[in-house]
Amino acid sequence: MENHQIINGKETHTLSAEENEEVNAIAALLKTMAHPIRLKILCLLQDKEMTVGDIQSEVKTTNANVSQHLSILRNHGIIVYRKDANFIYNRIADHRILKLIQTMHDLFCSCN
Amino acid sequence: MENHQIINGKETHTLSAEENEEVNAIAALLKTMAHPIRLKILCLLQDKEMTVGDIQSEVKTTNANVSQHLSILRNHGIIVYRKDANFIYNRIADHRILKLIQTMHDLFCSCN
DNA sequence: TCAGAATTTAACAAAATACTTTAATGCTAA
DNA sequence: TTAGCATTAAAGTATTTTGTTAAATTCTGA
């Protein structure tokens, strides 16, 4: 529900109370994604599941650190996991996150 | 330039050195946007220029705080400004930022 | 059951961010 | 030139985030 206003003959908008809350939620989402390691993890998870170990070999840091970042992503509902034997396979939970990553890729990555 | 790999018959990708740098840059961009006040400012600036005073009346905080957030956005090249008399009019610098905000809006805002 | 691999948890210090207050700057209009 | 508004800068504290280390879990295969 947007709040529209006519200023100088042009339609613009201010933020309604609900929109305000939505912006807060989106800011929280962005904040969760806005860490180099976490964003790399999300890029890697675009087209496959990965374990902590898989991710650790791509993103140079410790297991514990990867695990912590994964749990941050999980706590925000950005990724989910399934267990299989000793391994935990992580994947992106929400198609909207995929879409957002795709958009950022299209907009900001040189590789066309 | 992406790095492709065939794993289990499926094509997936890892991060090349250049991609790695690009991800870092995008993470920095997201980090700058990932603050409720700054994101609100960007939403408000979608379709108009605004002064510190204009923004302050929409986003409930002090002038100094708005000014600081604007200067953070400016330092990251996300917004630019023009001076006119006593006022400084801010606007979004890059159409890609606009596109990104639009996408987030489409994906995550209930208002269709 | 036991050894070992994969992952998580907890605790802590270091670094980065955020908001407030107050002082300073720049511009205008009278 | 001066008063007053708009904006920025500086300084300080409080809070949050981060990465490391070491210990604890969890599960499997022998």
Side-chain angles (χ1 to χ4, degrees):
Chain A
M1 223 73 65
E2 290 191 45
N3 216 355
H4 291 272
Q5 250 185 359
I6 306 295
I7 296 178
N8 295 339
K10 291 183 87 179
E11 186 182 28
T12 64
H13 50 245
T14 59
L15 296 176
S16 68
E18 310 97 62
E19 265 188 323
N20 201 56
E21 276 315 301
E22 281 180 327
V23 173
N24 287 344
I26 296 174
L29 170 67
L30 290 186
K31 185 175 173 185
T32 305
M33 298 175 65
H35 184 287
I37 291 179
R38 291 197 292 270
L39 192 56
K40 274 165 210 161
I41 290 173
L42 293 175
C43 287
L44 290 166
L45 292 181
Q46 267 182 105
D47 47 20
K48 57 182 178 295
E49 295 182 323
M50 292 179 87
T51 66
V52 173
D54 293 339
I55 294 168
Q56 196 227 330
S57 58
E58 292 279 349
V59 178
K60 294 305 183 204
T61 184
T62 59
N63 280 4
N65 196 15
V66 171
S67 176
Q68 282 165 349
H69 285 301
L70 285 172
S71 96
I72 291 170
L73 291 169
R74 230 179 274 130
N75 292 340
H76 286 80
I78 296 177
I79 64 174
V80 291
Y81 67 96
R82 76 180 165 87
K83 282 187 176 178
D84 185 10
N86 263 341
F87 298 91
I88 291 183
Y89 293 91
N90 297 275
R91 68 170 187 280
I92 291 177
D94 186 334
H95 83 280
R96 294 175 301 177
I97 304 292
L98 274 175
K99 201 93 176 177
L100 186 54
I101 293 173
Q102 183 73 52
T103 300
M104 295 189 304
H105 185 275
D106 292 347
L107 288 174
F108 297 105
C109 287
S110 51
C111 55
N112 160 317
Chain B
M1 222 73 66
E2 291 190 43
N3 216 354
H4 292 273
Q5 251 183 359
I6 307 296
I7 296 179
N8 295 339
K10 291 183 83 177
E11 186 183 28
T12 63
H13 50 244
T14 59
L15 296 176
S16 70
E18 309 96 64
E19 266 188 323
N20 200 58
E21 275 316 299
E22 281 179 327
V23 173
N24 287 344
I26 296 174
L29 169 67
L30 290 186
K31 185 175 173 186
T32 305
M33 298 174 65
H35 184 287
I37 292 179
R38 290 197 292 271
L39 193 55
K40 273 165 210 161
I41 290 173
L42 293 176
C43 287
L44 291 166
L45 292 182
Q46 268 181 104
D47 47 21
K48 56 182 178 296
E49 294 182 323
M50 294 179 85
T51 66
V52 173
D54 294 338
I55 293 168
Q56 197 227 329
S57 58
E58 293 277 348
V59 178
K60 294 305 184 207
T61 184
T62 60
N63 280 5
N65 196 14
V66 170
S67 175
Q68 282 165 348
H69 285 300
L70 285 172
S71 96
I72 290 170
L73 290 168
R74 231 180 274 130
N75 291 340
H76 286 81
I78 297 177
I79 65 175
V80 292
Y81 66 96
R82 75 181 167 87
K83 283 186 175 178
D84 185 11
N86 263 343
F87 298 90
I88 291 184
Y89 294 91
N90 298 276
R91 69 170 187 282
I92 292 178
D94 186 333
H95 83 279
R96 293 175 303 176
I97 305 290
L98 275 174
K99 201 94 178 177
L100 186 54
I101 293 172
Q102 183 73 50
T103 300
M104 295 189 304
H105 186 275
D106 292 348
L107 288 175
F108 297 105
C109 287
S110 53
C111 56
N112 160 313

